Amino acid sequence: MSSGIRAWYQRRRLEGELTGLWCAALRLERIGRTQRFLDLGGDSVAAVRLIGAVEERLGVSLSVRVLMETQTIAGMAEHLQRRSRAERGPSHDE
């Protein structure tokens, strides 16, 4: 599997996990990957719930600032993927 396809698959999988966490934190049944946190009724309480759930489920810490900068499930997934790549360093298969 090429690294591009692998990255796409990993991003979609991560977005799926994040969607569940966002739905629980915002108490919604469905959320689109590009819907904005604040537009969905997100507030400081929901932000704390979401950040705690991401840390517990995915083992990564986030700040409210990152949530406000990324704003969407897709944006958060991209941020987490970039951060993961940066922590791993240069890949040998690219």
Side-chain angles (χ1 to χ4, degrees):
M1 183 182 310
S2 77
S3 61
I5 293 171
R6 186 176 20 251
W8 179 87
Y9 176 76
Q10 289 170 344
R11 166 91 52 90
R12 291 295 184 227
R13 197 167 128 219
L14 178 57
E15 286 179 2
E17 288 187 66
L18 288 171
T19 298
L21 299 176
W22 278 54
C23 284
L26 292 165
R27 296 187 167 110
L28 296 172
E29 289 186 31
R30 288 188 293 189
I31 298 174
R33 61 187 290 276
T34 59
Q35 289 183 281
R36 296 176 188 271
F37 181 78
L38 295 175
D39 293 344
L40 293 165
D43 58 16
S44 59
V45 174
V48 170
R49 274 196 306 261
L50 177 57
I51 289 166
V54 168
E55 186 168 334
E56 182 179 313
R57 177 74 180 254
L58 302 178
V60 296
S61 61
L62 291 176
S63 65
V64 172
R65 179 177 171 216
V66 168
L67 174 58
M68 294 299 113
E69 287 174 354
T70 59
Q71 299 184 44
T72 66
I73 291 167
M76 185 178 281
E78 181 180 342
H79 170 83
L80 292 173
Q81 216 171 23
R82 270 196 325 261
R83 191 165 103 181
S84 176
R85 278 194 305 265
E87 290 171 356
R88 282 194 321 263
S91 177
H92 297 289
D93 62 1
E94 290 183 15

